[in-house]
Amino acid sequence: MYKTSIFYTLLLFSGFRSYAQEPVQNIASRTNLSLNGKWNYMIDPYESGYYDYRRVPFDQSKTQEGGFYDNKQQTDKSELLEYDFDHSPTLNVPGDWNSQVEKLSLYEGSVWYKKSFTITPKKDKQYLLYFAAVSYEAHVYLNGKKLGIHQGGFTPFQFDVTALLKEGENFVVLKVDNTRKKEAIPTIATDWWNYGGITRDVYLTELPKTFIRDYKVQLAKGNAAQIEGYVQLKGDNKKQKVMLKIPEAGIVLAVNTDTAGFAAFTIPAKKISYWSPENPKLYTVQISSATDAVTDKIGFRTIETRGKDILLNGKSVFLRGISMHDENPLIPGRPRGTGDLKMLLSWAKELNCNFVRLAHYPHNEEMVRLADEMGLLVWAEIPVYWTIDWENADTYRNAEHQLTDLISRDKNRAGVIIWSVGNETPLSDPRLKFMSNLASKARKLDDTRLISAALELHREGNNVIVDDVLSEKLDLVSFNEYAGWYWGGTPKEITKYSFKVKYQKPVIITEFGGDALAGFHADEDTRWSEEYQEALYKNQFKIQESIDGLRGMTPWILVDFKSPRRTHPIYQNFWNRKGLISDTGKKKKAFFTLKTRYDQLEKQYAHPVQPKK
Ligand code: GCB
């Protein structure tokens, strides 16, 4: 027990993926036993299933055995008599708890989950327990043994459970805690609902002893004639011949992995039909070794900047975007399946978007795959939002983990063109260091995409100044501006403003907008009315013309979304009303205003002036 307690202490302090393995690429296409469905749950606001009565975690206690995860009836320990998972109610997984149980709607704290499953493990296979996302901190146990802890509510994690699986019935227990913390990513203050729970898919994945853990197959940086990538095996049999086939492009390649299971490759790509929003062509890519095989659907495109232009496959593009949260307003709650995700992206398509900003944290992997299929470019972001604990080394490490896991998961998606390292972070030296380090990390992990962040601005008279020095580290200058809502008066009054952007880079306005309650009609000067929001959009388009490098925008936001900060009893009721679509799916006037603008921009950019070499 003593050894165990030292071990767990180390584990608690040593970070975010204790025991967890490096993520497996393309999990959904593997041999999976889905653990989605009904899970028993117990609400544990005092964490009595985790701490003994002296507040020592049962994980570390010398005298007590087992917490709620142990499943043994502890007849000599009264605390532990007071639970019974199997007679507890159930929650659906995937799904946040807030939207499923009235008394959990505003809950922030611990909830225990349990699910039993039966399996006959095969001797020649290995097994991973995979969670696509759990918000925010998960302690995971299998058959009463702790597998580890994961922090971060939007990225996947997994554990190797081969040694712990039993023939017949097994049980998984999780303690899930969505308490907001100052040092966490995100921190305490956000403008979205703090949904807790097992919000995305759970799988028990069966893999061969040596398997294809990871691969990247993408066009080389700025080179449309060359596919570049790597394959990484994991297991004992690391030196193998690996075949890569893209039958439709006539590509067949054999590579030999080294003693570390790694092989890099470059392939001439002559007859590729390039991926773009107008041609979202995905190729079937087959990767196989002597022991494993995996298939993916991958598109090929280049993305780069030249001066103030963004070049997609070498041609200047305007990003007709919209920001969105990972929320289905009709639940309201985290999306629970493909239909929910498709609904959101279809609304973006109806707006005539070619671009979506998946704010402010990694969305579901399936969302990004759907964007690839539907022809939507993607801005992907991590929840480095507002007032992060900039000088805390653990906080930085956590942010970097989330960035790494996001890039690792989505690096084969043609739609993803921008990694964003944060949103509206207030200027200071520690923040500059933190954000610059994240930008360098993103570039090191993936130099084929653009790096950005949604920045802030300041005003001098009628000049709106964009000069955040972090821009030097980024490929794009992107900023949020709320003329006509948080400053600058009514929509009519904002036309006096003009933008001064210091950096000679492409500009994307990552947010602008204002609240409107769907169905509330008044004149253009009346806040909360659809007419006010519409006028705001129209005049925003006018002032944005002062930015000669403007190459895209993602107004805030596609749909009204839940936020505990939004307390106005008539207009908000815990909803941020900046959506172009209401919480019941009704399109507001400004939806059509933006669509008209995007129709014009589409025409304008259909035959762009080619940028100078
Ligand atoms: C912002 C934030 C976004 C908020 C929005 C608002 O600048 O980036 O998360 O929801 O403003 O509505 O105030």
Side-chain angles (χ1 to χ4, degrees):
M1 205 47 170
Y2 178 68
K3 264 196 194 150
T4 322
S5 81
I6 299 251
F7 174 70
Y8 280 120
T9 312
L10 285 175
L11 193 133
L12 280 169
F13 289 106
S14 69
F16 311 96
R17 275 212 223 117
S18 36
Y19 252 7
Q21 312 285 305
E22 292 152 304
V24 172
Q25 190 59 223
N26 192 6
I27 196 81
S29 75
R30 309 292 175 129
T31 305
N32 292 320
L33 173 68
S34 169
L35 297 184
N36 291 344
K38 305 233 173 276
W39 289 57
N40 291 97
Y41 76 96
M42 291 190 296
I43 308 172
D44 189 15
Y46 279 31
E47 298 178 286
S48 42
Y50 186 71
Y51 294 108
D52 70 12
Y53 79 125
R54 298 292 186 220
R55 194 89 184 153
V56 177
F58 289 112
D59 283 350
Q60 298 166 35
S61 160
K62 291 184 202 165
T63 53
Q64 307 256 2
E65 279 183 11
F68 282 1
Y69 48 87
D70 204 338
N71 216 39
K72 282 187 281 231
Q73 286 299 314
Q74 306 286 320
T75 43
D76 54 341
K77 309 281 187 303
S78 59
E79 299 92 329
L80 298 175
L81 282 173
E82 296 173 29
Y83 81 105
D84 178 357
F85 256 122
D86 297 330
H87 292 93
S88 303
T90 56
L91 279 167
N92 287 319
V93 169
D96 61 84
W97 64 52
N98 315 67
S99 62
Q100 297 188 55
V101 179
E102 172 62 32
K103 76 174 160 198
L104 288 176
S105 82
L106 275 162
Y107 182 70
E108 299 189 309
S110 283
V111 171
W112 291 84
Y113 281 78
K114 180 185 171 195
K115 181 152 188 93
S116 299
F117 60 93
T118 3
I119 186 169
T120 304
K122 297 177 191 143
K123 290 249 158 2
D124 60 337
K125 302 286 183 193
Q126 58 180 309
Y127 295 87
L128 300 176
L129 184 57
Y130 180 95
F131 297 88
V134 177
S135 179
Y136 168 84
E137 181 178 276
H139 290 241
V140 186
Y141 305 83
L142 179 71
N143 298 331
K145 295 268 169 358
K146 188 158 198 166
L147 302 173
I149 303 167
H150 181 266
Q151 291 178 350
F154 305 99
T155 39
F157 59 98
Q158 66 192 32
F159 303 96
D160 183 345
V161 294
T162 317
L164 290 175
L165 274 185
K166 293 189 299 204
E167 165 87 39
E169 189 166 306
N170 293 264
F171 66 99
V172 190
V173 169
L174 264 78
K175 174 185 179 290
V176 181
D177 186 353
N178 70 336
T179 307
R180 287 169 296 130
K181 292 187 179 144
K182 177 174 174 285
E183 69 280 8
I185 302 284
T187 182
I188 291 172
T190 69
D191 186 25
W192 65 82
W193 207 262
N194 179 22
Y195 290 113
I198 307 178
T199 53
R200 297 185 190 155
D201 295 323
V202 185
Y203 300 126
L204 183 74
T205 304
E206 182 184 277
L207 292 161
K209 290 283 181 196
T210 299
F211 65 97
I212 300 162
R213 185 187 70 72
D214 194 17
Y215 53 86
K216 182 174 182 184
V217 187
Q218 290 281 280
L219 286 178
K221 183 179 167 63
N223 185 349
Q226 187 161 300
I227 292 175
E228 207 172 68
Y230 62 80
V231 54
Q232 175 69 61
L233 305 182
K234 188 168 161 71
D236 291 337
N237 184 7
K238 290 206 176 61
K239 281 188 78 163
Q240 290 196 35
K241 181 167 129 184
V242 174
M243 298 300 298
L244 178 105
K245 293 185 190 161
I246 311 178
E248 240 192 302
I251 291 173
V252 179
L253 179 82
V255 288
N256 293 309
T257 49
D258 63 15
T259 49
F262 181 83
F265 51 79
T266 51
I267 317 164
K270 293 202 188 79
K271 280 183 252 148
I272 292 280
S273 166
Y274 295 107
W275 187 100
S276 71
E278 297 73 34
N279 177 44
K281 169 73 191 160
L282 298 177
Y283 286 88
T284 300
V285 175
Q286 301 159 344
I287 304 176
S288 57
S289 69
T291 51
D292 194 13
V294 62
T295 300
D296 208 336
K297 296 197 106 185
I298 296 182
F300 300 99
R301 55 97 195 94
T302 58
I303 191 79
E304 59 200 311
T305 64
R306 188 177 303 145
K308 290 183 179 176
D309 282 308
I310 300 172
L311 307 184
L312 174 68
N313 299 322
K315 276 200 233 139
S316 180
V317 66
F318 189 94
L319 303 175
R320 309 186 307 271
I322 191 73
S323 297
M324 56 175 81
H325 267 294
D326 184 39
E327 183 182 75
N328 176 352
L330 305 178
I331 295 177
R334 293 277 179 234
R336 296 176 186 166
T338 313
D340 293 8
L341 303 175
K342 272 198 177 152
M343 177 181 77
L344 296 169
L345 292 181
S346 303
W347 278 333
K349 292 290 284 191
E350 276 185 62
L351 259 178
N352 194 12
C353 288
N354 59 5
F355 181 50
V356 287
R357 175 180 180 213
L358 303 183
H360 283 299
Y361 39 75
H363 288 214
N364 203 314
E365 177 174 351
E366 197 186 354
M367 185 70 159
V368 186
R369 286 181 174 272
L370 284 171
D372 257 18
E373 277 174 27
M374 293 169 71
L376 286 161
L377 295 156
V378 170
W379 164 298
E381 192 161 292
I382 52 167
V384 173
Y385 182 95
W386 292 354
T387 54
I388 294 295
D389 200 358
W390 303 115
E391 292 180 83
N392 184 329
D394 275 347
T395 303
Y396 178 77
R397 216 148 46 95
N398 185 347
E400 205 182 86
H401 266 298
Q402 295 193 39
L403 178 69
T404 306
D405 289 344
L406 167 67
I407 295 179
S408 166
R409 193 192 71 177
D410 294 341
K411 60 179 174 277
N412 288 310
R413 303 284 76 81
V416 179
I417 51 167
I418 298 162
W419 303 121
S420 163
V421 293
N423 177 76
E424 284 189 356
T425 50
L427 305 188
S428 75
D429 289 343
R431 167 267 188 188
L432 183 62
K433 187 171 165 218
F434 190 110
M435 297 296 284
S436 305
N437 287 344
L438 283 180
S440 316
K441 180 72 184 182
R443 214 177 283 290
K444 203 166 130 204
L445 290 169
D446 180 10
D447 69 354
T448 68
R449 290 178 173 81
L450 310 178
I451 314 294
S452 199
L455 307 176
E456 293 189 315
L457 41 75
H458 60 100
R459 276 172 293 141
E460 282 169 22
N462 293 339
N463 289 330
V464 181
I465 316 229
V466 182
D467 62 359
D468 183 341
V469 65
L470 179 64
S471 307
E472 285 173 10
K473 303 278 177 3
L474 307 174
D475 297 308
L476 306 163
V477 180
S478 312
F479 56 88
N480 300 345
E481 56 95 357
Y482 279 96
W485 190 255
Y486 292 124
W487 54 268
T490 61
K492 245 183 235 147
E493 292 162 335
I494 65 173
T495 48
K496 61 178 180 279
Y497 290 106
S498 66
F499 292 88
K500 307 282 174 259
V501 180
K502 180 171 170 193
Y503 298 95
Q504 304 301 306
K505 298 186 179 188
V507 173
I508 299 181
I509 303 183
T510 28
E511 289 179 29
F512 68 88
D515 290 53
L517 180 65
F520 173 50
H521 296 286
D523 59 40
E524 292 182 1
D525 295 334
T526 306
R527 267 184 191 260
W528 310 103
S529 72
E530 288 196 33
E531 286 70 17
Y532 186 105
Q533 190 189 39
E534 183 188 31
L536 190 154
Y537 269 71
K538 284 188 175 154
N539 284 346
Q540 276 283 348
F541 300 149
K542 286 187 192 147
I543 59 175
Q544 291 168 4
E545 276 167 15
S546 62
I547 309 171
D548 69 332
L550 187 67
R551 291 296 179 276
M553 55 175 143
T554 52
W556 194 254
I557 184 175
L558 182 65
V559 199
D560 289 354
F561 63 97
K562 295 271 290 175
S563 169
R565 298 172 63 84
R566 308 298 172 173
T567 54
H568 193 289
I570 298 173
Y571 302 113
Q572 295 179 311
N573 278 307
F574 282 159
W575 286 90
N576 183 315
R577 298 289 185 196
K578 294 189 187 69
L580 297 173
I581 299 178
S582 78
D583 57 308
T584 60
K586 189 175 174 301
K587 296 182 177 103
K588 304 178 194 174
K589 289 184 127 188
F591 179 98
F592 302 99
T593 313
L594 183 62
K595 179 174 165 20
T596 305
R597 174 78 175 156
Y598 281 170
D599 291 348
Q600 287 162 357
L601 282 162
E602 184 185 23
K603 283 201 197 100
Q604 201 175 312
Y605 271 77
H607 307 287
V609 181
Q610 285 308 307
K612 292 189 198 85
K613 293 265 172 195

